[in-house]
């Protein structure tokens, strides 16, 4: 088996490793956001990501977007900034596993956004899957130990992050082939960094050397995780990839328990199962007479 065509097992292991790495990033983000706030933590994620992306961009000959593609990539970068900020703030208020479960609904919104902006057909099962996924969200949130306004706001932020992720996925679908991964990755780091740079103004004191190291590590881990998952996805069917994505829940539950003494509520597991079923149903191969929808893309942990 050639290196460019890894075995099915190798592809699965690449995806699982990438998902695990993304969950490690989330643990770092929660630790740092609790100490320094979500804005500075989110900024540091993309500032360090920009440094590593620039190295790769320079090494690959400084490619650039295709004509007419800059605006779409700038919009995507803006959505990423808002998405990451909402996600990182929500994990400071709620257990990691709960937030991650809520973000799993994001891919269910992709086909509807693709129909609106890319004119891709929406099959009836996507409507039904979207309703089922929403039920999963209600089950998950309904099992929260307290219905305080702060927790509800954090849950809403997690769901908002999921829908913003769906928007970024649609734009990525429209530009990936023309612009290439290198320049898309770079812009997706630079633009959020610039939007979030005002966080430096309110910096009360320089973070410790350890915290600075963790901030740098977030960018490196995030870039590595995306590369691992991308290399695995290309050799797997969407249905298989979708199943693997839900390994993020036990990863998040384990790391949340080890790092923050978080307990996973039964409703979180039940809600995740319902949402997983909805996404798996939506990821089935389309009919022969219908164009493949963007929802064939599996869900992904939000970086």
């Amino acid at each position: 088996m050639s290196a460019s065509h890894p075995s099915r097992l190798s592809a699965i292991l690449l995806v699982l490793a990438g998902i695990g790495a993304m969950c490690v990033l989330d643990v770092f983000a929660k630790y740092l956001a609790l100490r320094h706030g979500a804005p500075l933590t989110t900024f540091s994620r993309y500032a360090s990501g920009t440094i590593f992306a620039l190295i790769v961009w320079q090494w690959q000959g400084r490619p650039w977007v295709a004509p007419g593609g800059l605006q779409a990539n700038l919009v995507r970068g803006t959505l990423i900034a808002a998405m990451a900020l909402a996600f990182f703030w929500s994990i400071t208020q709620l257990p990691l596993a709960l937030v991650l479960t809520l973000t799993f609904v994001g891919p269910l919104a992709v086909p509807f956004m693709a129909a609106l902006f890319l004119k891709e057909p929406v099959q009836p099962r996507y409507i039904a899957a979207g309703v089922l996924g929403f039920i999963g969200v209600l089950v998950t949130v309904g099992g929260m130990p307290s219905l305080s306004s702060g927790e509800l706001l954090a849950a809403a932020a997690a769901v908002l992050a999921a829908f913003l992720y769906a928007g970024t996925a649609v734009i990525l679908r429209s530009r990936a082939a023309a612009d290439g991964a290198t320049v898309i990755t770079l812009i997706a780091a630079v633009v959020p960094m610039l939007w979030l740079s005002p966080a430096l103004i309110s910096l009360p004191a320089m973070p410790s050397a350890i915290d600075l190291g963790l901030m740098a590590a977030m960018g490196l881990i995030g870039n590595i995780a995306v590369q691992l998952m991308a290399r695995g996805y290309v050799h797997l069917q969407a249905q298989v990839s979708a199943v693997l994505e839900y390994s993020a829940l036990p990863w998040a539950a384990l790391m949340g328990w080890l790092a923050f003494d978080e307990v996973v509520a039964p409703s979180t597991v039940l809600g995740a199962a319902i949402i997983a079923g909805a996404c798996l149903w939506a990821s089935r191969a389309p009919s022969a007479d219908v164009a493949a929808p963007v929802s064939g893309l599996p869900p992904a942990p939000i970086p």
Side-chain angles (χ1 to χ4, degrees):
M1 185 70 67
S2 66
S4 59
H5 296 283
S7 67
R8 178 185 176 87
L9 177 59
S10 297
I12 290 174
L13 291 176
L14 284 172
V15 173
L16 290 175
I19 293 170
M22 197 66 76
C23 290
V24 171
L25 185 156
D26 291 342
V27 171
F28 288 178
K30 178 161 185 167
Y31 169 80
L32 291 169
L34 288 171
R35 289 171 58 83
H36 303 288
L40 179 62
T41 299
T42 312
F43 167 80
S44 66
R45 155 61 180 110
Y46 291 103
S48 57
T50 294
I51 294 173
F52 294 112
L54 276 172
I55 294 173
V56 175
W57 179 71
Q58 178 70 31
W59 177 59
Q60 295 194 349
R62 295 186 291 180
W64 195 238
V65 296
L70 182 59
Q71 182 177 3
N73 281 282
L74 292 177
V75 171
R76 181 171 181 266
T78 300
L79 293 179
I80 288 174
M83 173 189 72
L85 185 60
F87 178 77
F88 286 162
W89 178 75
S90 67
I91 63 177
T92 66
Q93 309 297 312
L94 297 170
L96 278 172
L98 174 58
V99 173
L100 201 58
T101 296
L102 294 173
T103 62
F104 282 153
V105 301
L108 296 175
V110 173
F112 303 100
M113 291 187 179
L116 180 62
F117 297 107
L118 304 181
K119 308 305 179 185
E120 294 186 351
V122 177
Q123 298 184 64
R125 76 163 178 268
Y126 294 126
I127 299 176
V131 173
L132 183 59
F134 182 69
I135 292 173
V137 172
L138 293 180
V139 170
T140 302
V141 176
M144 292 172 63
S146 171
L147 295 180
S148 68
S149 59
E151 287 180 323
L152 287 176
L153 185 59
V159 174
L160 173 62
F163 282 99
L164 291 172
Y165 160 78
T168 67
V170 170
I171 297 175
L172 180 61
R173 165 84 177 232
S174 68
R175 298 304 312 171
D179 299 332
T182 299
V183 68
I184 285 177
T185 301
L186 176 62
I187 296 176
V190 172
V191 175
M193 177 190 69
L194 294 176
W195 274 115
L196 295 162
S197 58
L200 294 174
I201 298 176
S202 59
L203 183 65
M206 180 64 66
S208 67
I210 293 178
D211 287 357
L212 287 174
L214 292 177
M215 290 175 179
M218 283 197 299
L220 179 60
I221 292 172
N223 289 4
I224 291 174
V226 170
Q227 288 296 319
L228 288 171
M229 290 188 287
R231 291 174 185 274
Y233 285 155
V234 72
H235 300 289
L236 296 173
Q237 294 178 328
Q239 294 91 328
V240 177
S241 300
V243 173
L244 296 178
E245 286 291 349
Y246 289 97
S247 68
L249 182 59
W251 272 117
L254 175 62
M255 294 181 185
W257 175 64
L258 291 175
F260 306 105
D261 198 26
E262 297 173 347
V263 178
V264 179
S267 61
T268 299
V269 178
L270 178 58
I274 294 173
I275 297 171
C279 287
L280 289 175
W281 185 18
S283 69
R284 290 174 51 201
S287 305
D289 58 342
V290 179
V294 71
S295 58
L297 296 171
I302 296 178

